[in-house]
Each structure stands twice: as structure tokens, then as C-alpha cells.
Amino acid sequence: PMVSGVAALVKQIHPSWLPSQIKSVLVTTATEDVTNNGSVASVLEVGAGKLAAGNALMPNITVNPATLSFGVYQGLPTVQVVQVMNNGATAVNLQVTAPGNTISVAPSPFSLAPGQVALLGVASSPGSPAPGSYEGFVTLQGDATVLRIPYLYVVPTGVPATIVPLLGDGDYGEAGQPVPDGELAFELID
């Protein structure tokens, strides 16, 4: 109910905005003050963070998509394009940053006139990162605007972690044992 209420407030202030623009300000203005065992909670745990109604009503900059998922790392940099739009009446200058060396962004800085759209390239880093999940925020900061776009990508270990039966009777068996219905299918998750 809280998210839909804030979405309704944003729609009241910006009646011509599309659902993707409303989602953008709800997600990218969330606060990062949610903790898990005393540490800041991860993107996997809480997404963009905690809804901040006051923050969501302020920006005139929207992004699409509002979140970035690079999926499973395939060994090459994966590039995603983010559309950044100035919905306000004045020009804005934006500086874009990403933490560490797991994500790169271009261009930065850049300026947007009222109504102008810019394309921002966000790439996962090349090379061979260690297995694990890589997450964080691409931050766009302007005069009165701070937007955080959450991102995630996963580098697999190559070691099977979970086997999910898809077809068969669900019984456990041993290697070389006949399958009762003659068919067996499973999903292997790294």
C-alpha cells in the first residue's frame, strides 16, 4: 500500500508521466539505510533500498530501465544502455559514478537540456572476476538530484550447487539403477 500511495502522489504531481518514469523515481530515490546484522543490506536482499516518499517527489530526472541485471557473467563485458531524461524546465549537469572496478559508465559528466534524453552506457568489467555476486549502484548526481540505479551480475563457480528434478517420480536412486518410468529430467544450477 505504501508504494502504490507514493506512486499515486508522483502521478498527481506529474500526470503525463509513464509508468516507467514513476517506477524510476520510486526505485532510484530509495534510501540505503536498511541493515542486515549491522551491515548495509545488499541489493539481493532489499533491491534499491527503502522507499523514500519525499525523495520520490523531487527529481525531474528519470532513467529507463530503473534497475540493471547483467545476469550470469559470460566472460566478455556486457553493455546495457540506460535512457536518462530531463523532465524538468531547467538544464541539469550530471556526474555518473560506479563503485570499484566491476562496472564502468560513459559518458560522465554530461548535461541535459529540458526535455532532452541522453543514453548512458553501463558495462560489466572485462577480465575474469572471481566467482560470486557483484552488486552496487550506478549513481547520477546533479545540482539537486541524486539517483541510484541498482545493478547485479553473477560469476558462476562452475561447481553444481543444486539439482532440481523436473521429470520422474521424485525418488532417490543410485547410479546404474533403472528409472521406473523410463525418463528422467533435471535442472542443474551452478
Side-chain angles (χ1 to χ4, degrees):
M2 290 176 59
V3 174
S4 59
V6 176
L9 289 172
V10 172
K11 185 69 173 174
Q12 184 177 12
I13 292 170
H14 303 286
S16 64
W17 277 18
L18 300 171
S20 61
Q21 291 173 297
I22 295 170
K23 177 183 177 180
S24 169
V25 295
L26 295 177
V27 171
T28 61
T29 61
T31 60
E32 199 178 0
D33 57 356
V34 180
T35 60
N36 182 8
N37 295 324
S39 299
V40 175
S42 72
V43 170
L44 277 174
E45 294 169 319
V46 295
K50 185 170 66 176
L51 177 66
N55 294 352
L57 300 175
M58 296 174 58
N60 285 317
I61 304 298
T62 56
V63 298
N64 190 23
T67 62
L68 298 171
S69 175
F70 293 91
V72 176
Y73 187 75
Q74 301 295 323
L76 297 172
T78 304
V79 178
Q80 291 196 20
V81 176
V82 177
Q83 177 183 311
V84 183
M85 182 172 191
N86 181 358
N87 302 287
T90 59
V92 294
N93 298 310
L94 295 171
Q95 178 71 38
V96 185
T97 57
N101 59 0
T102 61
I103 293 288
S104 61
V105 294
S108 180
F110 63 96
S111 299
L112 287 173
Q116 186 179 13
V117 174
L119 299 179
L120 177 67
V122 182
S124 60
S125 294
S128 299
S133 65
Y134 293 83
E135 59 183 59
F137 296 91
V138 173
T139 304
L140 286 76
Q141 187 160 1
D143 301 331
T145 303
V146 176
L147 303 177
R148 298 174 26 235
I149 305 169
Y151 73 85
L152 169 72
Y153 70 92
V154 179
V155 178
T157 63
V159 177
T162 306
I163 297 177
V164 180
L166 302 175
L167 179 65
D169 59 12
D171 290 336
Y172 293 96
E174 297 179 15
Q177 183 181 24
V179 178
D181 32 345
E183 294 182 323
L184 180 65
F186 58 90
E187 176 182 22
L188 181 62
I189 302 171
D190 174 4

